[in-house]
Amino acid sequence: MNSKLIKKHSEDGYNILRKLHTIDLAVAHCAFQHHERIDGSGYPRGIREEEIHPFAKIIAVADVFDAVTSNRVYRNAMLPHEALEILYSGAGTLFDTRAVEAFRKSVAIYPTGVTVQLNDNRRGIVSGQNKGLNDRPIIRIISEDNHPVEPYEINLCNQLDLVITDCLATISE
C-alpha cells in the first residue's frame, strides 16, 4: 500500500472529527498528531516536544502498542512484553517517557492465557494479575522439568526468586 495514502489517515481522521460538534476540538487535534514524535521525526507536520498535545503523546504510545501486538499480513503479533521493549527503546526520543511509564503500569505485560517458562524449569499459564505489579502475575503450573503435573497456582508476588524467562505461546483470539 502507498505510504502517502497510509499517512493520510491522520489528516482524514482530523477532518472527520473536527466537524463533529459533540466532541471537543482537542480530540481532532490528537487524532491529527498521534503519529508525531517528540524528536520531530513523525508525521504529518514533523512537530516536536511541547508542540504535541499531551493526549496525542499518550495516544501515540497506545497506538504503537496496539499495532505491534496485532497480527498483520506481513508479521505475527508480538507479545506485550516485546511491545513494551519497543516503547522503551523509543522513550525520550520518539515517545514521551512519562506516557510510556504510565502505559506500562496499566497494561498486563503477561496477559491471562499466555504460556510462560519460569527460571526453575516450570511451565505454566498466566491465570491472573496482581494490581500494580504487572510483571508478577499468578501462574497455573502445568509442568515441571518438561513433565506434566497436576495443575497448581503460584503467585509471583510471593515467589520473588522466580522470574519468567520466556513466553511460549500467544493467547488465542
Side-chain angles (χ1 to χ4, degrees), residues 1-9 12 43 72-74:
M1 187 166 236
N2 184 325
S3 175
K4 277 187 176 181
L5 183 61
I6 292 171
K7 288 183 176 183
K8 194 172 178 314
H9 81 274
D12 292 342
Y43 64 88
R72 302 290 190 205
V73 294
Y74 50 89

Side-chain angles (χ1 to χ4, degrees), residues 3-75:
S3 175
K4 277 187 176 181
L5 183 61
I6 292 171
K7 288 183 176 183
K8 194 172 178 314
H9 81 274
S10 296
E11 185 178 344
D12 292 342
Y14 168 78
N15 285 325
I16 292 168
L17 293 170
R18 74 182 175 89
K19 294 174 186 171
L20 298 176
H21 301 291
T22 56
I23 62 169
D24 193 289
L25 189 57
V27 174
H29 284 286
C30 290
F32 189 59
Q33 296 178 355
H34 78 281
H35 283 290
E36 299 289 359
R37 300 296 179 248
I38 63 173
D39 65 358
S41 66
Y43 64 88
R45 295 186 299 156
I47 59 177
R48 55 191 319 126
E49 293 281 344
E50 299 308 316
E51 297 172 293
I52 304 169
H53 193 286
F55 293 164
K57 293 175 183 178
I58 295 167
I59 294 167
V61 169
D63 182 62
V64 168
F65 184 86
D66 178 62
V68 300
T69 58
S70 298
N71 284 318
R72 302 290 190 205
V73 294
Y74 50 89
R75 65 155 176 77

Side-chain angles (χ1 to χ4, degrees), residues 42-168:
Y43 64 88
R45 295 186 299 156
I47 59 177
R48 55 191 319 126
E49 293 281 344
E50 299 308 316
E51 297 172 293
I52 304 169
H53 193 286
F55 293 164
K57 293 175 183 178
I58 295 167
I59 294 167
V61 169
D63 182 62
V64 168
F65 184 86
D66 178 62
V68 300
T69 58
S70 298
N71 284 318
R72 302 290 190 205
V73 294
Y74 50 89
R75 65 155 176 77
N76 290 329
M78 292 181 180
L79 291 165
H81 71 282
E82 296 168 316
L84 283 172
E85 289 300 319
I86 289 172
L87 292 172
Y88 272 113
S89 72
T93 54
L94 302 176
F95 310 110
D96 181 87
T97 302
R98 292 176 310 221
V100 172
E101 279 295 323
F103 188 80
R104 181 194 61 81
K105 291 177 183 175
S106 66
V107 68
I109 298 170
Y110 302 104
T112 302
V114 73
T115 302
V116 294
Q117 182 76 36
L118 301 177
N119 61 319
D120 67 353
N121 212 23
R122 286 189 276 182
R123 185 175 292 180
I125 299 169
V126 175
S127 61
Q129 304 295 325
N130 286 301
K131 186 174 182 171
L133 294 167
N134 301 347
D135 58 343
R136 305 298 294 169
I138 301 162
I139 311 289
R140 178 174 295 269
I141 300 298
I142 58 172
S143 74
E144 296 175 353
D145 295 316
N146 293 320
H147 300 301
V149 296
E150 185 70 31
Y152 63 94
E153 287 193 345
I154 58 169
N155 188 333
L156 292 188
C157 282
N158 303 328
Q159 302 278 317
L160 299 181
D161 59 327
L162 295 177
V163 293
I164 295 172
T165 58
D166 198 10
C167 288
L168 304 166

